[in-house]
Amino acid sequence: MLRQIKYFQAVVRHHSFSEAAQECHISQSAISQQIQSLERELGFQLLERKNRSFVLTPAGEHFYKKSLVLMADYEKLCQESLKIARGDEAVLKIGYLRSYSGHEFHLALEEFSTKYPLVSVQLIYGNHEDLFHMLRNGEADLVLNDQRRAFSDEYINLILTTNNEYIEIASRNPMSQLSSIAPQELKNIPCILVASKEQQETEREYYQSVIGFQGEFIYAENLEEARLMVIGGQGFMPVEGSGETLNFTTSICRIPLYRGNSQITRKYCLFWKKDNSGYYIEEFADILKSKF
């Protein structure tokens, strides 16, 4: 019956017996017979045939929608059972910068998971130092992180991109009209950082001593909370990751962050230990690199 359900789904998806038959690599008459056989087994009509076309019956439409869930669950069950049978479940542990806002990682993860559905991907979020320690202690196989220290020969240091730095600030703030801004010009506005409680002090020290923000610092647990704080006028947020313009309607303005005559930049990298190089690590690295 499972094969017959797949044939039925193909016919509905293409709205064509001939195209469904081509996809399923059987003849048009055979796929028609298989669906008629499915209808006999179910005891009700799935399709109402009209000359060379058809429409779904109400029961057929309900069965089609529910069968999509059924087949997805069945395929997942088969994959999980195969892992157990082989005893070779592959797990890829990836550390992800908590405050990173680019879309590249999501695209890479989607492509990797589609290509390697049997590999279990575990995502671990953290600030810069969290990720560094995870990688060093073997808690993560590879991490997406910003560069804050010199590269070490113990690791593969794959530079993904060098991004210009920005801040996000409420559009109603008068400073939103500036074409660029320097860290010292923000001394009277709180800086909103995305950081865990354990890493708040480390993040504050970095943004104060390296970037040059000298005002008050306040913290958010995640990007969504931080952006709500920006919209609420509680402060500005330095942008991590992609410098692309996002659609904030009219609530948030993004301003380039300058030091002197040059825009501040930051490198984002993928790091993993040289002695832990494996096929899936390098494959994910190649996919992610291609998204930048």
Side-chain angles (χ1 to χ4, degrees), residues 197-256:
K197 290 182 179 179
E198 296 77 13
Q199 288 297 316
Q200 288 179 2
E201 183 60 24
T202 302
E203 291 297 290
R204 181 201 61 77
E205 184 178 349
Y206 171 79
Y207 279 95
Q208 190 174 67
S209 61
V210 177
I211 302 300
F213 297 136
Q214 298 302 315
E216 178 188 357
F217 289 85
I218 56 178
Y219 303 93
E221 286 291 327
N222 52 58
L223 274 173
E224 182 180 4
E225 180 185 357
R227 286 209 167 103
L228 288 174
M229 292 168 70
V230 170
I231 293 171
Q234 297 183 46
F236 71 90
M237 179 177 68
V239 176
E240 297 274 9
S242 176
E244 64 181 355
T245 301
L246 303 179
N247 181 18
F248 300 124
T249 60
T250 59
S251 57
I252 292 179
C253 181
R254 183 170 282 188
I255 307 173

